[in-house]
Amino acid sequence: MGASMPAAVAGHYDRLDRFYRQLWGEHVHHGLWTDPAATPEAAVRHLVHRVAADAGIGAGTAVCDIGCGYGAPARLWAAEYEASVTGYTVSAAQHDYARRQPVRGPAPTYHLQDFLDNDRPAESADAAVAIESLTHIADPPAAVREAAHLLRPGGRFVACVWMAAPNPPAWARRLLLAPICADGRLSGLPTVRMLHRWATQAGLRVDRLDDVTPFVRPTWTVVLRRFVRALGSDPALWRLLLDAAESERVFARTLPRIWAAQRLGVLRYGWLVATKA
């Protein structure tokens, strides 16, 4: 999508704003089920807390949240860690929602702006995080380089990234991964080797790069169940999908693709922790 990528991502999330908040809640990312008995809400918060631990977020930490969405992680880090968070989103609907929410602790700052166009000074952040946002950026390696540029020496970069398996079969690329990228407005799906290379070429030391797919996989069962229930009980959701352009309606049809791709092992979930030397 190149230069049109921010506009495509923004339009997608703006038009399906109600759809996302109804099915995902305000966090709009996977849960982390290290406890199989955890509720979806607890699993989602657990992921955000684990990101905070790996990023070294604490009182006064200057955090750059790349692709902050509705600002739920930023509010959690402000309220429970007293961190100073600056978030970036290209979605006007997400930006407006985030700014209207009350928060305990230091109020996060939200920018309606492509992260690659930010004007933040070099070495002004203690931590940079990207929760499922790197592949929504037209040039993900450039985003990693920019994150490294903004980090102070010793600062941490944590990214939760949708990835492709190292060598998925051609049929999986054609029937699953390519449609997931197109329908989800993704610039692509890196492999774990590519993600490692992006970090090291940005001058970061990779401390850990884990495949945590089994621990996030329950997310899609939860989302599909919510979707089916909503279709049966909420006529407004039907109207939203029917009124949306075909390019947006098709995303509802790709939900089973994502569920299947994770179950088949061709769609992975990477957890990168890196440090600026």
Side-chain angles (χ1 to χ4, degrees):
M1 296 181 186
S4 66
M5 185 84 185
V9 172
H12 175 77
Y13 281 102
D14 287 347
R15 287 187 289 270
L16 294 182
D17 170 56
R18 184 177 178 278
F19 176 84
Y20 274 103
R21 282 192 287 119
Q22 183 168 352
L23 297 186
W24 289 82
E26 63 179 10
H27 276 273
V28 200
H29 61 70
H30 286 65
L32 186 67
W33 268 269
T34 53
D35 175 5
T39 65
E41 292 74 19
V44 165
R45 288 176 59 86
H46 181 45
L47 185 144
V48 180
H49 282 296
R50 286 289 293 270
V51 168
D54 285 343
I57 294 175
T61 303
V63 182
C64 179
D65 188 357
I66 303 163
C68 63
Y70 294 110
R75 289 189 294 278
L76 186 151
W77 295 326
E80 300 193 25
Y81 296 85
E82 297 185 347
S84 175
V85 187
T86 301
Y88 296 86
T89 178
V90 295
S91 166
Q94 293 179 346
H95 181 256
D96 180 64
Y97 181 92
R99 293 181 65 194
R100 288 187 285 108
Q101 303 313 302
V103 62
R104 293 183 292 111
T109 300
Y110 304 108
H111 293 280
L112 180 58
Q113 185 180 37
D114 183 356
F115 172 67
L116 291 178
D117 293 332
N118 81 85
D119 54 2
R120 187 169 178 147
E123 299 189 358
S124 59
D126 301 302
V129 299
I131 301 178
E132 301 171 24
S133 59
L134 274 185
T135 51
H136 274 317
I137 296 173
D139 188 346
V144 178
R145 292 194 299 271
E146 180 61 16
H149 173 70
L150 297 181
L151 285 173
R152 299 185 178 104
R156 296 274 190 89
F157 175 58
V158 178
C160 302
V161 186
W162 288 27
M163 305 188 306
N167 295 293
W171 67 264
R173 290 182 182 277
R174 184 177 71 257
L175 299 178
L176 295 174
L177 300 182
I180 286 169
C181 286
D183 300 342
R185 306 303 189 271
L186 307 179
S187 56
L189 290 166
T191 62
V192 66
R193 183 172 295 181
M194 291 168 62
L195 188 55
H196 190 284
R197 184 170 68 247
W198 294 351
T200 56
Q201 289 182 344
L204 299 172
R205 182 190 73 230
V206 174
D207 301 316
R208 200 171 77 244
L209 179 47
D210 299 327
D211 183 334
V212 298
T213 307
F215 299 107
V216 302
R217 192 179 288 142
T219 298
W220 290 99
T221 300
V222 171
V223 169
L224 283 171
R225 285 175 179 165
R226 288 175 178 172
F227 181 57
V228 171
R229 282 200 300 266
L231 288 179
S233 62
D234 188 353
L237 182 60
W238 277 105
R239 288 195 297 272
L240 171 66
L241 295 176
L242 290 173
D243 291 344
E246 171 63 17
S247 61
E248 305 302 344
R249 279 200 306 272
V250 76
F251 186 68
R253 298 203 300 266
T254 209
L255 296 179
R257 280 197 188 104
I258 298 171
W259 180 90
Q262 280 198 344
R263 294 278 165 175
L264 292 168
V266 296
L267 180 65
R268 305 286 182 85
Y269 195 97
W271 193 289
L272 170 71
V273 181
T275 302
K276 183 170 182 177

